[in-house]
Amino acid sequence: MPHSLYNRIQGSTWQERIEDGYLCFLTGDFRPCKPKHQFPRKDMIIVAARVNPQLWAAVEDYALEHAGDLGWVPTPKQVAVAWLMHMPPPSAGKLAMVH
């Protein structure tokens, strides 16, 4: 990940952090792992972030088109959670969930 993107993620809003994760997913720079547990968990922090609807749809389409390569079909929420767990912002705690 470019250092400039890392710095932007650390100093940005939840929406920007999630959208950066979506962009990394769409470019193939981030591949979320299939979760081993059900969401939400009791130790999760719930995050309300309204992301760009076109970006949300692009993530859905990309996940369907690349299901074979990914080994599963993640939803946009699952991509966002995996991204935040992969690159947790300082205030995220252990996990975060998007709705």
Side-chain angles (χ1 to χ4, degrees), residues 13-97:
T13 66
W14 285 107
Q15 176 185 354
E16 290 170 335
R17 291 174 185 163
I18 292 165
E19 288 180 355
D20 284 338
Y22 284 173
L23 293 173
C24 287
F25 176 67
L26 293 172
T27 60
D29 292 329
F30 174 66
R31 294 179 55 139
C33 295
K34 187 173 183 177
K36 297 177 182 174
H37 46 76
Q38 294 293 319
F39 291 103
R41 289 185 4 201
K42 292 180 182 178
D43 61 342
M44 287 185 159
I45 296 171
I46 305 299
V47 175
R50 301 199 187 282
V51 296
N52 179 318
Q54 288 91 6
L55 193 53
W56 179 280
V59 168
E60 282 182 317
D61 293 344
Y62 183 90
L64 287 171
E65 292 170 12
H66 294 87
D69 295 333
L70 295 169
W72 69 301
V73 182
T75 66
K77 288 182 184 182
Q78 290 170 319
V79 172
V81 169
W83 174 254
L84 293 173
M85 289 171 62
H86 167 74
M87 183 61 59
S91 62
K94 289 185 180 179
L95 301 171
M97 183 168 185

